[in-house]
């Protein structure tokens, strides 16, 4: 069986000004993308360590070198590819999308990128979290992406007290429980919150990894550069996601994208993972990565990986 | 908590409005003073004017998306931070009227909560069902189920909570001579399901409450002004939206509250386009929550440019005033210690104060800066001037015209009373006047019929054109992109053409009514000149005021279509083009047929009755006038003989 070796791709979506770009910059640990209080008129941006340079990819499949991200015509552009190095990019590709519900940007612009994505984080602003316009879009998501999805309620710093945060997240959970497997309340200004999301992303990446071995060849000390050192305890979390435990430890048919062909292979992978976690639940990024690597090695040895989700090719790789 | 000493309400904001009210009160006093027994023939006209004054209460609706800060803004305006219930989740569930210094306040009542009656409750449940039906028809069983689930869940929860009281409460109202925060909260906020299950009172009656009216006497506000807080739109609980949209058409002015961090989304645009069907001059956009931006002054300029550009792109904009501020700043300005505001808001205020060269050293400095930066004064002034220039000015104009008519008729009758009596064919003259009125009324009837037919034809044509353009756009799209790509067709164009068809039908009816009244007036004048032979006496010829044509609120019923864009997007993902065409055409027709019926039956027909009333009043006034002249000319003896 031929297989396409690539990293999982995380699409970050949400309405405009929901903090998508800020979250991506935070995950990268650098202000790579410009963000603005008014709608950001950027095409989708696909950031990967494996791209060959920065390019603009047209709807017609042609591509050209990218000079300035800010001056790309939205019309006729599928997306912009950016090549860069960052710890998180050792695990996933990140796809930034223009905000939904911006009256000046056609929604199809970001929806086209859904075909490329393996998993989605939906950003919703804490001060106006989870409205009908978001729900309507989410209900139209391909079922493949609704599995294993994460709702990140951003701008937690704008809530005035922890009681408000609790009340808010109780409602958000009540309303979005059928739609998301993971709910995170985060301030994008707080390092530990960003660390937490970064760890979560790596966890997800492990779950949807198409081929695992090469992802973990170089395990960095931290997921993202930080001034405060590696200490990924979440500041405020609605549904506690202890690093490396619950999401992957209890995979069920609903929340795991099939890693392998056939039900038996899948349950075997689950069994391997459950065994690993039972013996020594990881509780730091280092331990977590080590365990992931061990899991992948075990899996590689035992099982034939499935073909990757067919993705649209964007120019020559 | 009373903190009147820090009230941010600038008394001068309402000066123009108050001056207008003083003028209207003078009219009222004059009208009352001429209600004497010997001027019976103008009594009806005067009563009509007095009724008009009594009913005059301009409405300002505060609308916007959930969590835009509408209730907080109104609380700040009142100077009472805890007046309307506010929460981190969508909270306001009922349209709440704040009536300032109202003359229509029911006796011994400060708070009045009306419940749905059985019919309305059933209809509300059914409206949810209709939304569900629509979803079903379009093949979105998931959404249909969702709406059904929401409706049923609400009904079950409400009935379980209220138990035996439920049936008894339907159609009732609760009135209170005094109210406090807890009382209000049990009627007008959603309540937290968890709290309610544990016996919490917030939101206890909310689902059953149709409207809330709170009466507030506050010398800082003008008389008879009503602000209405509304449930936010774009709530995941979809049924409330329709209630809010209905409120818009009844309002004389609207404050559209946007949230600074996401100013003007597609949702806001959909809302604005519906509101602007009223009159753009009566709309003020308030960009709230500016305190949540890092550098509010710099961002304000960017936001203004971007909002203006977007509004223009959609053909709105002209006449819409855009203001910036923060209900939170206003609220903190009223608190005992404004320096204790949230650090991010304080730092934003510091930025603002620096740009506006205001000191920020003492708590009083902070209070002043927060008051100024809150934008509340500007907002109140803008709203007040819109009411004064719009409905206020029109009211004064109408009263002035009526007063002139009444005075001139009285003067004429008095002059004639002094002249020597003459003999007239009284029965013949009365017969002629009666015929003039009959002719006018039957001509109006014909006009209504004709205009209604024309309107229906035009609406049908608009519907056909929309289906046609939607289908050809679909074909073009499929040809260019294939069926895999999503596609949507904007229902706005249909709504706009239906609206303009309706408005132009109303205008045409007004014009025809004006023409037939002109003719009737000439005929009455002829009776005066020839039959009565009064020389140099003209009928009063002040302008005739037809009631303001309100935009048809039924059209906003399609907002749910605009919002559920995802429905349409998904629509195109499956199936072959031919089947799609048929299905899509069916959906549009099924969706728009009721709209046409509503426009005719619920808007045009009542409108034609309003115009009929104007015609009748006008002719009755003139008939009574001629009768009065006739009485005077007959002299006392002749009058007695006629009676005998």
């Amino acid at each position: 069986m031929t297989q396409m070796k690539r990293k999982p791709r995380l699409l970050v979506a949400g309405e405009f000004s929901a903090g998508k770009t800020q979250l991506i910059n935070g995950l990268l640990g650098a202000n790579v993308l410009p963000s603005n209080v008014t709608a950001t008129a950027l095409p989708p941006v696909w950031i990967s360590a494996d791209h060959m340079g920065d390019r603009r990819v047209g709807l017609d499949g042609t591509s050209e070198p990218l000079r300035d991200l800010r001056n790309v015509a939205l019309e006729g552009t599928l997306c912009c590819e950016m090549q860069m190095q960052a710890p998180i990019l050792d695990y996933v590709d990140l796809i930034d999308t223009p905000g939904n519900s911006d009256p000046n940007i056609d929604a199809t612009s970001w929806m086209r990128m859904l075909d490329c994505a393996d998993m989605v984080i939906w950003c919703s602003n804490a001060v106006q979290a989870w409205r009908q316009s978001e729900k309507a879009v989410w209900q139209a998501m391909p079922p493949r992406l609704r599995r294993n999805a994460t709702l990140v309620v951003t701008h937690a710093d704008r809530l005035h007290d922890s009681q408000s945060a609790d009340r808010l997240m109780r409602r958000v959970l009540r309303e979005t429980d059928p739609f998301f497997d993971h709910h995170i309340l985060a301030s994008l200004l707080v390092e530990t919150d960003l660390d937490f999301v970064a760890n979560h992303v790596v966890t997800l990446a492990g779950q949807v990894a198409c081929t695992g071995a090469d992802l973990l060849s170089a395990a960095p000390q931290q997921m993202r550069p930080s001034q405060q050192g590696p200490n990924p305890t979440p500041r405020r979390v609605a549904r506690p996601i202890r690093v490396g435990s619950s999401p992957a430890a209890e995979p069920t048919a609903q929340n795991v994208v099939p890693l392998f062909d056939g039900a038996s292979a899948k349950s075997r992978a689950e069994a391997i993972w459950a065994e690993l976690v039972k013996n020594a639940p990881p509780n730091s990024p280092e331990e977590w990565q080590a365990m992931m690597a061990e899991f992948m090695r075990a899996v590689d040895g035992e099982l034939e990986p499935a073909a990757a989700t067919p993705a649209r090719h964007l120019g020559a790789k | 908590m009373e903190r009147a000493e820090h009230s941010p309400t600038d008394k001068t904001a309402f000066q123009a409005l108050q001056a207008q009210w003083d003028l209207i009160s003078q009219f009222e006093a004059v009208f009352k003073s001429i209600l004497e027994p010997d001027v019976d023939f103008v009594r009806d006209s005067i009563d009509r004017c007095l009724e008009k004054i009594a009913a005059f209460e301009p409405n300002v609706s505060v609308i916007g998306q959930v969590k835009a800060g509408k209730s907080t803004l109104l609380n700040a305006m009142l100077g009472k931070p805890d007046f309307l219930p506010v929460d981190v989740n969508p909270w306001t569930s009922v349209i709440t009227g704040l009536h300032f210094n109202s003359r229509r306040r029911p006796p011994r009542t400060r708070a009045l909560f009306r419940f749905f009656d059985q019919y309305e409750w059933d209809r509300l449940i059914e409206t949810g069902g209709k939304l569900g039906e629509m979803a079903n028809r379009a093949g979105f069983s998931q959404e249909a189920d969702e709406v059904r689930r929401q409706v049923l869940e609400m009904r079950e929860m409400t009935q379980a909570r209220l138990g035996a009281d439920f049936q008894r409460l339907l159609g009732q109202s609760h009135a209170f001579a005094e109210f406090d925060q807890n009382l209000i909260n049990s009627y007008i906020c959603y309540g937290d399901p968890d709290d309610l299950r544990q016996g919490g009172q917030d939101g206890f009656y909310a689902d059953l409450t149709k409207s809330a009216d709170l009466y507030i006497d506050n010398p800082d506000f003008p008389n008879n002004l009503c602000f209405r807080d509304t449930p936010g739109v774009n709530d995941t609980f979809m049924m409330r939206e329709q209630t809010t949209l209905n409120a818009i058409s009844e309002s004389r002015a609207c404050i559209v509250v946007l949230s600074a961090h996401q100013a003007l989304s597609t949702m806001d645009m959909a809302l604005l386009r519906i509101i602007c069907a009223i009159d753009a001059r009566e709309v003020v956009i308030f960009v709230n929550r500016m305190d949540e931006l890092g550098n509010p002054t710099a961002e304000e300029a960017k936001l203004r440019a971007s909002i203006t550009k977007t509004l223009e792109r959609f053909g709105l904009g002209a006449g819409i005033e855009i203001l910036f501020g923060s209900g939170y700043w206003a609220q903190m300005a009223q608190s005992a210690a404004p320096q204790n505001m949230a650090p991010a808001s304080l730092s934003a205020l510091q930025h603002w104060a620096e740009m506006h060269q205001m000191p920020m050293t003492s708590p009083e400095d902070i209070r002043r800066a927060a008051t100024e930066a809150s934008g509340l004064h500007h907002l109140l002034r803008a709203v007040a001037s819109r009411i004064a220039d719009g409905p206020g000015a029109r009211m004064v104009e109408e009263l002035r015209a009526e007063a002139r008519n009444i005075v001139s008729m009285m003067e004429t009758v008095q002059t004639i009373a002094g002249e020597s009596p003459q003999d007239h064919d009284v029965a013949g003259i009365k017969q002629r006047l009666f015929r003039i009125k009959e002719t006018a009324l039957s001509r109006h009837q014909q006009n209504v019929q004709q205009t209604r037919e024309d309107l229906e034809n035009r609406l049908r044509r608009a519907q056909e054109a929309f289906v046609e353009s939607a289908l050809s756009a679909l074909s073009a799209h499929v040809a260019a992109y294939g069926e895999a790509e999503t596609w949507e067709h904007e229902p706005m164009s249909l709504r706009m053409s239906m609206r303009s068809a309706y408005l132009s039908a109303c205008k045409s009816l007004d014009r025809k009514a004006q023409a037939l009244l002109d003719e009737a007036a000439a005929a009455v004048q002829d009776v005066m000149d020839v039959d009565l032979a009064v020389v140099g006496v003209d009928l009063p010829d002040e302008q005739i005021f037809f009631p303001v044509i309100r935009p048809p609120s039924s059209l906003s019923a399609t907002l749910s279509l605009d919002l559920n864009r995802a429905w349409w997007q998904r629509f195109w993902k499956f199936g072959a083009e031919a089947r799609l065409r048929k299905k899509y055409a069916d959906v549009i027709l099924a969706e728009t047929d009721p709209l046409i019926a509503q426009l005719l039956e619920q808007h045009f027909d009542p409108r034609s009755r309003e115009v009929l009333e104007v015609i009748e009043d006008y002719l009755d006034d003139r008939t009574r006038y001629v009768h009065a002249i006739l009485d005077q000319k007959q002299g006392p003896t002749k009058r007695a003989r006629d009676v005998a």
Side-chain angles (χ1 to χ4, degrees):
Chain A
M1 185 185 286
T2 58
Q3 69 182 46
M4 186 173 67
K5 291 206 171 192
R6 64 165 175 80
K7 290 171 191 161
R9 298 154 182 168
L10 172 69
L11 182 99
V12 181
E15 300 205 341
F16 74 97
S17 300
K20 298 176 297 296
T21 304
Q22 214 182 331
L23 176 64
I24 288 184
N25 283 341
L27 291 175
L28 293 170
N31 284 331
V32 178
L33 302 170
S35 81
N36 206 324
V37 64
T38 51
T40 319
L42 286 183
V45 181
W46 178 343
I47 304 164
S48 169
D50 307 328
H51 284 321
M52 311 295 272
D54 297 351
R55 289 179 313 153
R56 187 196 81 95
V57 183
L59 282 175
D60 51 5
T62 59
S63 73
E64 63 193 23
L66 176 68
R67 275 177 293 277
D68 184 0
L69 195 55
R70 263 163 271 232
N71 290 331
V72 174
L74 289 175
E75 193 80 7
T77 301
L78 175 62
C79 73
C80 289
E81 294 181 356
M82 291 180 79
Q83 194 275 330
M84 67 174 288
Q85 297 299 328
I88 190 97
L89 295 179
D90 292 338
Y91 302 88
V92 284
D93 288 5
L94 298 176
I95 304 173
D96 181 39
T97 58
N100 191 49
S101 90
D102 176 347
N104 297 310
I105 296 180
D106 189 358
T108 51
S109 150
W110 71 270
M111 289 193 156
R112 285 192 198 101
M113 297 308 287
L114 291 176
D115 290 345
C116 311
D118 300 307
M119 52 193 181
V120 179
I121 282 185
W122 183 268
C123 292
S124 190
N125 190 332
V127 297
Q128 280 186 304
W130 196 248
R131 289 165 291 172
Q132 179 59 32
S133 47
E134 297 173 74
K135 185 174 165 184
V137 169
W138 189 257
Q139 283 175 322
M141 276 281 174
R144 164 179 83 81
L145 292 173
R146 282 174 57 173
R147 281 194 299 265
N148 233 331
T150 307
L151 176 66
V152 176
V153 178
T154 58
H155 300 303
D157 44 285
R158 287 179 186 161
L159 299 172
H160 288 165
D161 50 55
S162 64
Q163 199 201 347
S164 304
D166 288 346
R167 284 180 76 90
L168 172 72
M169 289 310 283
R170 262 199 296 142
R171 174 186 61 93
V172 169
L173 267 175
R174 210 161 44 226
E175 293 192 9
T176 65
D177 202 38
F179 305 126
F180 295 93
D181 288 336
H182 316 290
H183 300 76
I184 299 175
L185 175 65
S187 164
L188 304 178
L189 304 172
V190 175
E191 289 292 323
T192 47
D193 283 15
L194 285 168
D195 284 336
F196 182 80
V197 178
N199 277 301
H200 174 69
V201 167
V202 173
T203 309
L204 288 181
Q207 290 177 13
V208 299
C210 302
T211 71
D214 56 338
L215 293 192
L216 295 149
S217 51
Q221 288 306 299
Q222 292 163 236
M223 304 305 160
R224 48 181 293 283
S226 150
Q227 294 90 42
Q228 297 176 8
N231 180 23
T233 38
R235 201 167 63 102
R236 298 190 191 104
V237 184
R239 170 184 283 180
I241 306 169
R242 274 166 290 122
V243 174
S245 61
S246 50
E250 298 150 16
T252 65
Q254 286 81 41
N255 64 10
V256 173
V257 175
L259 277 168
F260 306 99
D261 277 335
S264 63
K266 180 165 163 277
S267 58
R268 179 69 196 122
E270 285 168 7
I272 294 174
W273 179 252
E275 192 63 25
L276 282 171
V277 174
K278 199 178 76 195
N279 294 340
N283 46 26
S284 73
E286 298 78 25
E287 282 179 35
W288 171 238
Q289 284 155 31
M291 182 161 292
M292 279 293 291
E294 198 178 326
F295 170 65
M296 284 305 183
R297 271 195 299 277
V299 162
D300 272 357
E302 275 198 39
L303 303 158
E304 170 91 357
T309 318
R312 189 185 303 195
H313 258 293
L314 301 171
K317 288 263 168 200
Chain B
M1 242 182 298
E2 287 291 340
R3 294 186 186 112
E5 70 275 22
H6 301 315
S7 166
T9 310
D10 177 3
K11 288 178 192 182
T12 62
F14 290 123
Q15 257 169 10
L17 206 51
Q18 194 56 57
Q20 214 163 41
W21 257 110
D22 292 344
L23 192 61
I24 290 171
S25 302
Q26 278 170 23
F27 273 117
E28 190 179 26
V30 171
F31 284 137
K32 278 185 177 157
S33 75
I34 50 179
L35 271 182
E36 291 163 24
D38 61 329
V39 289
D40 252 7
F41 73 100
V42 289
R43 182 178 293 279
D44 283 5
S45 322
I46 291 177
D47 281 345
R48 211 167 53 233
C49 292
L50 290 174
E51 270 167 38
K52 223 185 254 180
I53 294 173
F56 185 57
E57 189 194 40
N59 252 309
V60 184
S61 284
V62 181
I63 59 168
Q65 291 197 46
V66 282
K67 301 316 302 160
K70 298 176 289 298
S71 302
T72 304
L73 197 62
L74 280 166
N75 284 343
M77 215 175 68
L78 268 164
K80 295 181 182 175
D82 303 321
F83 190 81
L84 294 167
V86 170
D87 193 84
V88 68
N89 289 316
W91 208 235
T92 307
S93 65
V94 175
I95 294 176
T96 308
L98 306 178
H99 303 265
F100 289 100
N101 312 314
S102 172
R103 45 198 291 163
R104 298 199 296 167
R105 176 164 76 90
R108 291 184 303 284
T109 302
R110 287 278 165 205
L112 180 63
F113 305 99
R114 289 192 186 83
F115 298 120
F116 291 110
D117 62 26
Q118 183 77 55
Y119 172 74
E120 288 164 332
W121 176 257
D122 291 345
R123 231 182 82 178
L124 181 73
I125 299 293
E126 198 196 321
T127 309
K130 266 185 196 152
L131 198 59
E133 268 172 36
M134 186 183 87
N136 228 350
R137 201 161 48 222
F140 307 125
S141 52
Q142 193 185 347
E143 282 80 359
D145 290 346
E146 170 81 20
V147 173
R148 256 196 305 279
R149 190 187 59 73
Q150 283 186 355
V151 170
L152 289 175
E153 195 177 300
M154 183 190 83
R155 185 172 64 181
E156 273 164 23
M157 274 181 62
T158 309
Q159 292 183 346
R161 190 165 63 239
L162 297 172
D165 281 348
F166 177 78
Q167 280 300 327
R168 201 175 47 77
L169 286 171
L170 284 176
Q172 300 291 307
S173 59
H174 284 173
F176 299 90
E178 296 297 331
F179 58 83
D180 61 18
Q181 202 188 329
N182 289 336
L183 181 78
I184 297 180
N185 289 7
S186 60
Y187 291 92
I188 64 171
C189 64
Y190 277 121
D192 185 302
D194 298 339
D195 293 350
L196 275 167
R197 262 191 291 276
Q198 287 157 24
Q201 289 298 303
D202 283 6
F204 191 79
Y205 296 110
D207 292 330
L208 203 55
T209 308
K210 180 174 73 168
S211 69
D213 292 283
L214 306 174
Y215 296 89
I216 302 153
D217 289 344
N218 182 335
D220 290 348
F221 285 82
N223 294 337
N224 297 310
L225 185 61
C226 174
F227 282 89
R228 291 202 290 188
D229 192 18
T230 64
V233 297
N234 204 6
D235 194 334
T236 47
F237 187 67
M238 292 179 270
M239 287 195 322
R240 291 277 176 204
E241 201 151 272
Q242 194 52 49
T243 326
T244 301
L245 293 174
N246 288 339
I248 294 170
S249 68
E250 294 159 18
S251 268
R252 308 309 295 264
C254 280
I255 302 174
V256 177
V257 183
L258 307 182
S259 184
H261 58 79
Q262 200 199 42
L264 215 59
S265 69
T266 39
M267 180 60 222
D268 298 317
M269 277 313 297
L271 194 57
L272 271 168
R273 289 159 89 178
I274 284 164
I275 297 163
C276 284
I278 300 183
D279 188 344
R281 280 171 306 164
E282 292 172 16
V283 176
V284 180
I285 290 180
F286 186 77
V287 182
N288 195 21
R289 311 188 83 137
M290 288 299 285
D291 65 288
E292 288 170 14
L293 304 181
N295 183 351
T297 322
E299 304 288 15
E300 180 180 320
K302 280 191 220 161
L303 282 172
R304 184 184 296 281
S306 135
I307 292 173
T308 311
K309 202 172 130 201
T310 308
L311 288 177
E312 266 168 21
R313 205 164 79 81
F314 287 92
L316 298 175
I320 299 184
E321 192 168 357
I322 307 169
L323 298 169
F324 295 82
S326 153
Y328 178 72
W329 273 339
Q331 188 189 318
M332 291 314 290
Q334 295 157 45
S335 73
Q339 67 276 19
N340 291 349
M341 74 173 74
S345 297
L346 189 63
S347 128
L349 184 62
Q350 238 133 20
H351 263 288
W352 189 93
E354 213 171 289
M355 297 302 288
H356 292 78
Q357 295 172 349
M358 286 182 79
M360 282 282 283
T361 328
S362 70
E364 282 316 302
D365 289 342
I366 295 174
R367 191 190 304 288
R368 265 189 296 274
T371 303
E372 193 56 37
S374 76
L376 209 57
H377 295 177
H378 298 288
L379 178 62
L380 291 180
R381 195 163 286 142
V383 168
S385 78
R386 265 161 188 75
I387 291 173
D389 296 349
R394 188 186 146 97
M395 184 72 189
V396 170
E397 220 178 306
E398 275 180 45
L399 291 177
R400 195 170 274 148
E402 289 275 18
R404 280 206 205 102
N405 279 342
I406 291 168
V407 169
S408 107
M409 292 194 289
M410 285 171 64
E411 278 173 0
T412 308
V413 170
Q414 234 142 32
T415 318
I416 288 166
E419 293 168 5
S420 53
Q422 279 176 340
D423 244 355
H424 288 289
D425 171 15
V426 175
I429 290 172
K430 288 190 174 174
Q431 186 64 25
R432 274 199 69 183
L433 290 172
F434 180 73
R435 286 227 187 85
I436 292 171
K437 186 179 167 187
E438 287 294 281
T439 312
L441 293 184
S442 92
R443 273 191 55 195
H444 175 64
Q445 209 46 53
Q446 288 166 11
N447 290 345
V448 169
Q449 222 163 33
Q450 185 61 50
T451 314
R452 198 181 193 275
E453 270 167 35
D454 292 349
L455 173 60
E456 184 164 1
N457 288 336
R458 221 180 127 181
L459 292 173
R460 292 274 166 224
R461 282 201 303 276
Q463 188 188 29
E464 280 162 27
F466 180 73
V467 173
E468 202 55 42
S469 75
L471 292 182
S472 65
L474 167 65
S475 297
H477 181 87
V478 172
Y481 299 100
E483 282 167 20
E485 286 283 332
T486 60
W487 182 81
E488 60 185 281
H489 196 69
E490 180 66 76
M492 200 65 201
S493 64
L494 175 66
R495 189 186 293 142
M496 292 311 279
S497 59
M498 285 190 153
R499 171 175 164 263
S500 69
Y502 170 75
L503 293 181
S504 83
C506 289
K507 279 184 202 141
S508 150
L509 191 63
D510 283 4
R511 268 198 310 277
K512 289 174 189 160
Q514 178 74 54
L516 70 85
L517 281 180
D518 287 347
E519 240 170 82
V524 175
Q525 184 73 51
D526 194 50
V527 171
M528 298 220 298
D529 292 349
V530 178
D531 299 83
L532 279 167
V534 282
V535 184
V537 176
D538 289 333
L539 278 175
D541 61 349
E542 291 295 333
Q543 190 195 340
I544 302 165
F545 286 91
F546 293 99
V548 178
I549 302 171
R550 305 310 295 174
S553 59
S554 298
L555 289 178
S556 61
T558 58
L559 186 68
S560 49
L561 271 186
D562 294 327
L563 296 190
N564 287 298
R565 271 149 196 272
W567 293 13
W568 301 119
Q569 285 164 0
R570 193 132 44 95
F571 209 66
W572 307 117
K573 286 238 161 188
F574 315 100
E577 195 198 340
R579 197 166 59 82
L580 273 183
R581 284 180 69 96
K582 173 80 176 75
K583 197 173 169 192
Y584 188 43
D586 287 350
V587 169
I588 297 175
L589 289 176
E591 197 56 44
T592 48
D593 277 342
L595 273 186
I596 293 180
Q598 276 171 16
L599 274 177
L600 292 172
E601 286 157 23
Q602 288 169 27
H603 295 279
F604 185 77
D605 292 348
R607 172 70 196 175
S608 67
R609 285 193 291 274
E610 275 182 353
V611 175
L612 175 66
E613 220 168 278
V614 173
I615 293 171
E616 281 181 322
D617 284 346
Y618 180 89
L619 290 173
D620 287 345
D621 283 356
R622 269 67 189 167
T623 304
R624 276 193 297 270
Y625 174 54
V626 176
H627 285 182
I629 294 176
L630 192 58
D631 274 0
Q632 296 300 336
K633 291 204 70 171
Q634 293 285 83
T637 46
K638 191 82 199 295
R639 269 206 300 277
R641 210 172 60 208
D642 282 347
V643 171

